[in-house]
Amino acid sequence: MSLKINDNVTWVGKIDWELRHFHGEELSTHRGSSYNSYLVRGKEKTVLIDTVWKPFAEEFVANLKKEIDLNEIDCIVANHGEVDHSGSLKALLREIPGTPVYCSKAGVKSLKGQYHEDWNFQPVKTGDKLDLGSGQELLFIEAKMLHWPDSMFCYLTGDNILFPNDAFGQHYASELMYNDLVDQCELFEEAIKYYANILTPFSKLVTAKIKEVVGLGVPVDMICPSHGIIWRDNPMQIVEKYQQWADAYQENQVTIAYDTMWSGTRHAAEAIAEGIKEANSTIDVKLFNIGKADKNDVVTEIFKSKGIIVGSPTHNKRILDPVAALVELLKGLRLQDKKGAAFGCYGWSGESVQLLNESLQESGIELINEEGLKVLWNPDKEAREECARFGREIGVALA
Ligand code: FEO
C-alpha cells in the first residue's frame, strides 16, 4: 500500500494493526500503530524520509519497488535512529548501497551502534538544507532529546510540510490516514497517551523546540509524523496541544492508583475518594487498581491530574510490585506541578506509606500530607472515617 499525499509526496510506510506493545513490553498500544515513511520527489532529487520497523523490512522494500525504481532514490533521511524507523535501512541499502543517509551527528552514532554498518552518512545540523531542485528544499532541524539525542525534524519548502518524526505522533493504526477523517476522541486519546508516556520528561525541550520552529515563520500546511495519522486539517492544532501539555498540564482531576491484597487498601481508596468528593464536588476522581489496569493508561490519567494518590499495603516490608512499577515510571516522567499523597494498609511492620512518600518526593510531587495515611488491618468504620478525612484534606488542597 502507498498513499499519494500530494503531487510530490507519497506515504510508503506500514500500518501495524497487530501491535499491542511497544518498546518491548513497556508501552501498551491498544489501537496498533504505523511506521510512516515518506517518498519526496523533487524536480531534481528524490528523497526517502525514514523507513519502517525491521519485521516489515522485506515487505517495505517490495512495496517501495512498486512505487519507484529504487535506483531513482538519491538519498535517505533518517530523522531518528530508533529501530521502528531505521529498521529497514539495512534491507534497503543492500539494494542501493552507497546511497547517502542524512541524519544528525548523534544519528550517525546511534545508527552505527545498532547496525554496525559504515553507510554513506551525511551528518546535518539545524539550518542545513538539501536542494531538491527548482527552488524546493528540505530544511533540517535538530530536535535533540525529542526524544533521543539523534532526533531530527525536516521541513519541505514549497509543499510546506513538517516531518517531525516521533513528535505529534500517535500509536494509532488507521486506514483513514488523515486527522480530519478519523474519530476525534480516539485520535486525541492516543495523542495524549503518546505525549504522557513518551515525551513528558522532555516537556521543557518541547516548549523550546516549538518556539524555535514557530519562530522560523514558515507556513505549515501539513504535519507528517512517523506514527499514526497525518495532520492536514488545521495542523497547528496538535502543536497548540503540545504547548499546553508541555506546560505543567492538568485538568480538574485526581487519580487514585493502588493495589490491594485482601481489599483493605481498596476500601481505604474508596473512602478517600468519598472524602475528596465531599470537600471538592467538581473534581473528577478516578480510581485504578494498578494491578489490574493498564499502567500506560493510568500514566495518561495521572498526566491529566492535579493530584496523584498512591496506595499499597505493606508486603515483605515493601510495596506491591505493580505499585512499585508505577512509582518507578513516575520518577522518570518528571511531571510538573503535581500534588500527591500516599496511603496503605498494614498488619504489623507498615513500611509501605513511608516508601511511597519517598517515591513521590523523588518524582518531584509535592506531598499534601507528609505523613500519609497508614491503616491497620482492614479499615473499620472509624478507620474509614479517617480515610474520608484524609480525602477531604486532599480535596481542599486540590481545590
Ligand atoms: Fe518511533 Fe523514537 O521511535
Side-chain angles (χ1 to χ4, degrees):
M1 174 198 166
S2 65
L3 176 75
K4 206 168 162 53
I5 291 172
N6 68 15
D7 288 344
N8 302 320
V9 183
T10 304
W11 177 93
V12 288
K14 171 68 188 176
I15 299 177
D16 187 352
W17 282 95
E18 284 194 0
L19 191 78
R20 288 296 176 269
H21 289 99
F22 190 79
H23 286 156
E25 298 298 309
E26 187 62 18
L27 178 66
S28 62
T29 52
H30 307 313
R31 294 189 174 98
S33 192
S34 68
Y35 319 106
N36 297 337
S37 169
Y38 302 94
L39 188 65
V40 181
R41 291 180 170 97
K43 288 281 179 281
E44 290 166 18
K45 267 199 168 70
T46 296
V47 184
L48 182 75
I49 300 177
D50 292 323
T51 67
V52 308
W53 190 27
K54 194 180 169 191
F56 304 105
E58 280 182 28
E59 181 183 333
F60 169 72
V61 172
N63 279 341
L64 196 57
K65 280 181 183 173
K66 289 182 200 157
E67 185 60 36
I68 189 170
D69 174 349
L70 297 185
N71 292 305
E72 289 177 19
I73 297 174
D74 295 292
C75 47
I76 300 164
V77 171
N79 270 331
H80 177 29
E82 196 162 8
V83 295
D84 47 329
H85 310 296
S86 63
S88 302
L89 278 174
K90 215 167 185 167
L92 181 60
L93 286 165
R94 255 198 306 268
E95 301 269 348
I96 45 172
T99 305
V101 177
Y102 287 78
C103 59
S104 64
K105 210 169 147 187
V108 178
K109 281 190 195 167
S110 65
L111 290 168
K112 279 190 178 177
Q114 293 179 100
Y115 301 107
H116 316 120
E117 297 277 356
D118 203 15
W119 292 323
N120 179 9
F121 293 111
Q122 300 294 322
V124 288
K125 56 185 186 314
T126 296
D128 288 351
K129 293 168 182 170
L130 187 61
D131 187 356
L132 306 186
S134 295
Q136 191 167 41
E137 291 175 325
L138 200 58
L139 168 68
F140 299 106
I141 305 153
E142 289 167 276
K144 197 173 174 179
M145 293 318 297
L146 292 180
H147 65 127
W148 271 22
D150 63 13
S151 297
M152 187 169 81
F153 299 176
C154 51
Y155 173 79
L156 182 64
T157 65
D159 289 305
N160 307 333
I161 300 177
L162 182 68
F163 299 93
N165 195 261
D166 280 331
F168 312 123
Q170 335 86 45
H171 288 304
Y172 182 27
S174 173
E175 304 287 337
L176 293 172
M177 298 300 291
Y178 292 108
N179 72 308
D180 50 308
L181 301 183
V182 297
D183 182 295
Q184 299 300 291
C185 293
E186 289 183 0
L187 171 59
F188 282 97
E189 199 174 286
E190 294 304 335
I192 196 169
K193 180 177 177 181
Y194 190 98
Y195 188 96
N197 283 275
I198 296 178
L199 290 165
T200 300
F202 313 110
S203 284
K204 286 195 168 71
L205 299 172
V206 169
T207 304
K209 188 54 56 182
I210 289 176
K211 213 169 158 190
E212 181 190 327
V213 173
V214 170
L216 293 173
V218 293
V220 176
D221 293 343
M222 222 182 287
I223 295 177
C224 293
S226 59
H227 296 290
I229 57 78
I230 292 165
W231 301 92
R232 69 172 178 187
D233 175 44
N234 181 17
M236 292 307 280
Q237 65 179 299
I238 189 62
V239 178
E240 284 156 21
K241 282 285 179 201
Y242 265 47
Q243 283 170 317
Q244 292 168 16
W245 294 339
D247 186 18
Y249 183 73
Q250 52 179 240
E251 297 176 12
N252 191 21
Q253 177 172 310
V254 54
T255 296
I256 303 176
Y258 64 91
D259 198 358
T260 193
M261 293 170 75
W262 297 108
S263 295
T265 301
R266 174 170 68 83
H267 289 141
E270 289 169 354
I272 291 168
E274 286 300 316
I276 295 173
K277 281 192 288 183
E278 280 171 35
N280 188 335
S281 61
T282 59
I283 199 164
D284 194 357
V285 186
K286 293 185 179 172
L287 288 85
F288 298 96
N289 179 329
I290 191 66
K292 297 180 181 181
D294 179 284
K295 74 174 188 295
N296 303 109
D297 291 340
V298 174
V299 162
T300 309
E301 294 301 335
I302 287 172
F303 175 76
K304 288 156 61 180
S305 296
K306 293 174 169 178
I308 306 156
I309 316 304
V310 190
S312 173
T314 297
H315 180 243
N316 293 340
K317 300 189 173 185
R318 308 297 299 174
I319 54 178
L320 293 180
D321 296 1
V323 185
L326 178 71
V327 293
E328 191 60 22
L329 248 179
L330 295 182
K331 285 177 199 169
L333 288 178
R334 285 176 269 158
L335 293 158
Q336 300 171 62
D337 200 17
K338 306 283 189 202
K339 290 181 178 166
F343 68 99
C345 292
Y346 71 106
W348 47 103
S349 60
E351 289 85 352
S352 69
V353 173
Q354 181 56 29
L355 290 168
L356 289 173
N357 276 336
E358 286 165 13
S359 288
L360 289 173
Q361 285 180 302
E362 210 181 315
S363 306
I365 293 162
E366 182 193 336
L367 292 181
I368 293 167
N369 178 310
E370 297 210 345
E371 296 293 314
L373 182 67
K374 288 170 71 170
V375 178
L376 185 60
W377 298 112
N378 210 332
D380 58 10
K381 190 165 177 282
E382 201 177 315
R384 288 189 198 211
E385 177 44 40
E386 183 55 19
C387 291
R389 188 210 56 74
F390 188 65
R392 287 193 291 276
E393 184 185 343
I394 293 166
V396 168
L398 298 176

